[in-house]
Amino acid sequence: NIMTKAEIQTLSNTNIADDSNILPEEHREVNNALINEIYSTDIYNDGIYPSNDIVNKLNPDIYININIEKTGNKVFIRGFIFNESTQTFFYNDFAEIVNADYFPKFGMWHFINTCSENSNTAPLTIKDDKKIMIAGNIPALETIYFNGFYTTE
Protein backbone atom coordinates (compact mmCIF):
# COMPACT_ATOMS: atom_id res chain seq x y z
CA ASN A 1 0.00 0.00 0.00
CA ILE A 2 1.59 3.26 -1.13
CA MET A 3 1.36 6.10 1.37
CA THR A 4 1.77 9.80 0.73
CA LYS A 5 4.26 11.92 2.63
CA ALA A 6 1.39 13.42 4.65
CA GLU A 7 0.04 9.97 5.54
CA ILE A 8 3.44 8.77 6.75
CA GLN A 9 3.90 11.98 8.79
CA THR A 10 0.45 11.54 10.39
CA LEU A 11 1.21 7.90 11.19
CA SER A 12 4.53 8.91 12.73
CA ASN A 13 2.97 11.74 14.77
CA THR A 14 0.18 9.44 15.99
CA ASN A 15 2.25 6.38 16.84
CA ILE A 16 5.40 8.13 18.04
CA ALA A 17 3.90 11.08 19.92
CA ASP A 18 6.11 13.10 22.28
CA ASP A 19 4.17 12.19 25.42
CA SER A 20 3.47 8.52 24.68
CA ASN A 21 4.91 5.20 25.66
CA ILE A 22 5.70 3.82 22.22
CA LEU A 23 4.67 0.22 21.76
CA PRO A 24 6.97 -1.89 19.57
CA GLU A 25 4.18 -2.68 17.07
CA GLU A 26 3.44 1.06 16.66
CA HIS A 27 7.10 1.78 16.00
CA ARG A 28 7.27 -1.11 13.51
CA GLU A 29 4.18 0.22 11.71
CA VAL A 30 5.91 3.57 11.11
CA ASN A 31 9.17 1.87 10.08
CA ASN A 32 7.34 -0.46 7.68
CA ALA A 33 5.57 2.50 6.06
CA LEU A 34 8.95 4.15 5.47
CA ILE A 35 10.57 0.94 4.19
CA ASN A 36 7.68 0.26 1.79
CA GLU A 37 7.93 3.79 0.41
CA ILE A 38 11.70 3.60 -0.12
CA TYR A 39 11.77 0.05 -1.51
CA SER A 40 8.76 -0.08 -3.75
CA THR A 41 7.54 -3.05 -5.73
CA ASP A 42 7.76 -3.06 -9.53
CA ILE A 43 4.40 -3.20 -11.24
CA TYR A 44 4.61 -4.93 -14.61
CA ASN A 45 1.81 -4.48 -17.09
CA ASP A 46 1.88 -6.40 -20.34
CA GLY A 47 -0.51 -5.05 -22.93
CA ILE A 48 -2.62 -2.90 -20.58
CA TYR A 49 -5.86 -3.76 -22.26
CA PRO A 50 -8.25 -2.24 -21.52
CA SER A 51 -6.78 -0.92 -18.25
CA ASN A 52 -5.17 -1.71 -14.91
CA ASP A 53 -4.80 -0.02 -11.52
CA ILE A 54 -2.38 2.66 -12.77
CA VAL A 55 -2.70 3.20 -16.53
CA ASN A 56 -5.74 3.12 -18.78
CA LYS A 57 -5.13 2.42 -22.48
CA LEU A 58 -6.84 4.97 -24.75
CA ASN A 59 -5.97 3.75 -28.26
CA PRO A 60 -6.80 0.19 -29.39
CA ASP A 61 -4.10 0.30 -32.11
CA ILE A 62 -1.27 0.84 -29.64
CA TYR A 63 0.15 -2.10 -27.69
CA ILE A 64 1.73 -1.00 -24.39
CA ASN A 65 4.23 -2.93 -22.32
CA ILE A 66 5.20 -0.94 -19.24
CA ASN A 67 7.09 -1.48 -15.98
CA ILE A 68 6.33 1.08 -13.25
CA GLU A 69 8.12 1.62 -9.94
CA LYS A 70 7.37 4.43 -7.47
CA THR A 71 9.93 5.53 -4.90
CA GLY A 72 9.00 8.57 -2.84
CA ASN A 73 7.72 11.16 -5.30
CA LYS A 74 9.54 9.68 -8.31
CA VAL A 75 7.88 7.26 -10.73
CA PHE A 76 10.25 5.26 -12.92
CA ILE A 77 8.74 3.89 -16.12
CA ARG A 78 10.25 1.74 -18.83
CA GLY A 79 8.95 -0.46 -21.58
CA PHE A 80 7.74 -0.11 -25.13
CA ILE A 81 4.76 0.84 -27.25
CA PHE A 82 3.98 -0.78 -30.58
CA ASN A 83 1.81 0.68 -33.34
CA GLU A 84 -0.20 -2.37 -34.42
CA SER A 85 -2.05 -0.50 -37.15
CA THR A 86 -1.13 0.12 -40.78
CA GLN A 87 -1.34 3.90 -40.25
CA THR A 88 1.21 6.27 -38.72
CA PHE A 89 0.22 7.37 -35.21
CA PHE A 90 0.62 11.18 -34.89
CA TYR A 91 0.80 13.28 -31.71
CA ASN A 92 -2.00 11.46 -29.93
CA ASP A 93 -2.80 10.48 -26.37
CA PHE A 94 -2.46 6.72 -26.08
CA ALA A 95 -2.79 6.16 -22.31
CA GLU A 96 -3.92 7.89 -19.14
CA ILE A 97 -2.66 7.64 -15.56
CA VAL A 98 -5.71 6.81 -13.43
CA ASN A 99 -4.23 6.07 -9.99
CA ALA A 100 -3.87 9.23 -7.85
CA ASP A 101 -0.67 7.89 -6.22
CA TYR A 102 0.96 8.11 -9.68
CA PHE A 103 -0.43 11.45 -10.90
CA PRO A 104 2.30 13.73 -12.29
CA LYS A 105 3.18 16.95 -10.51
CA PHE A 106 0.76 19.61 -11.76
CA GLY A 107 2.15 22.50 -13.78
CA MET A 108 4.95 20.47 -15.33
CA TRP A 109 4.93 18.51 -18.54
CA HIS A 110 7.15 15.49 -18.08
CA PHE A 111 9.20 14.21 -21.02
CA ILE A 112 10.45 10.63 -21.20
CA ASN A 113 13.16 9.79 -23.76
CA THR A 114 12.46 7.17 -26.41
CA CYS A 115 14.24 5.33 -29.20
CA SER A 116 13.34 2.85 -31.92
CA GLU A 117 14.95 0.50 -34.43
CA ASN A 118 14.69 3.28 -37.03
CA SER A 119 16.14 6.10 -34.88
CA ASN A 120 12.72 7.63 -34.20
CA THR A 121 13.20 9.55 -30.93
CA ALA A 122 9.92 11.39 -30.34
CA PRO A 123 9.58 11.67 -26.52
CA LEU A 124 6.65 10.55 -24.46
CA THR A 125 4.93 13.47 -22.77
CA ILE A 126 2.98 13.15 -19.53
CA LYS A 127 0.64 16.13 -19.41
CA ASP A 128 -1.25 17.94 -16.64
CA ASP A 129 -4.45 16.12 -17.67
CA LYS A 130 -2.60 12.85 -16.76
CA LYS A 131 -2.65 11.67 -20.37
CA ILE A 132 0.45 10.18 -21.98
CA MET A 133 1.16 11.36 -25.51
CA ILE A 134 3.85 10.56 -28.05
CA ALA A 135 5.32 13.96 -29.02
CA GLY A 136 5.87 13.01 -32.64
CA ASN A 137 4.82 9.98 -34.61
CA ILE A 138 5.08 6.22 -34.58
CA PRO A 139 5.14 4.73 -38.08
CA ALA A 140 2.94 1.72 -38.78
CA LEU A 141 4.19 -1.51 -37.21
CA GLU A 142 7.02 0.27 -35.37
CA THR A 143 8.07 -0.14 -31.74
CA ILE A 144 9.18 2.77 -29.56
CA TYR A 145 11.17 1.98 -26.39
CA PHE A 146 11.15 4.32 -23.40
CA ASN A 147 12.94 4.65 -20.09
CA GLY A 148 12.70 7.53 -17.64
CA PHE A 149 10.99 9.01 -14.63
CA TYR A 150 8.64 11.78 -13.59
CA THR A 151 7.73 13.40 -10.28
CA THR A 152 4.44 13.23 -8.42
CA GLU A 153 2.83 15.76 -6.07
Side-chain angles (χ1 to χ4, degrees):
N1 183 26
I2 294 174
M3 297 179 76
T4 65
K5 179 180 177 182
E7 289 170 335
I8 292 172
Q9 189 65 52
T10 299
L11 179 64
S12 179
N13 290 340
T14 301
N15 286 5
I16 308 176
D18 290 337
D19 60 350
S20 68
N21 293 324
I22 303 165
L23 298 173
E25 59 269 11
E26 292 174 336
H27 196 270
R28 278 192 298 274
E29 185 180 5
V30 172
N31 285 343
N32 284 336
L34 293 171
I35 290 166
N36 289 336
E37 188 63 24
I38 294 168
Y39 298 99
S40 62
T41 303
D42 276 2
I43 299 171
Y44 174 75
N45 300 291
D46 186 13
I48 306 182
Y49 189 80
S51 65
N52 63 38
D53 294 340
I54 299 171
V55 178
N56 184 23
K57 183 175 170 177
L58 299 176
N59 187 309
D61 292 329
I62 300 295
Y63 177 88
I64 305 169
N65 181 301
I66 189 169
N67 189 303
I68 302 169
E69 181 181 350
K70 185 173 188 285
T71 302
N73 70 340
K74 302 254 183 318
V75 177
F76 298 89
I77 64 172
R78 65 187 179 277
F80 66 87
I81 53 180
F82 174 66
N83 182 357
E84 297 180 309
S85 77
T86 57
Q87 304 294 315
T88 297
F89 184 75
F90 291 101
Y91 289 90
N92 255 330
D93 299 334
F94 65 87
E96 178 178 24
I97 300 168
V98 294
N99 184 317
D101 290 333
Y102 294 83
F103 285 170
K105 189 169 192 167
F106 188 79
M108 297 175 62
W109 278 32
H110 303 271
F111 297 94
I112 307 296
N113 290 330
T114 63
C115 66
S116 73
E117 299 99 0
N118 299 319
S119 301
N120 186 353
T121 59
L124 297 185
T125 304
I126 303 172
K127 305 180 297 180
D128 279 342
D129 64 2
K130 297 150 190 81
K131 293 197 172 126
I132 305 172
M133 173 182 90
I134 188 80
N137 65 66
I138 306 174
L141 305 175
E142 184 162 323
T143 301
I144 301 287
Y145 299 90
F146 57 89
N147 187 1
F149 73 93
Y150 66 91
T151 55
T152 61
E153 292 291 342

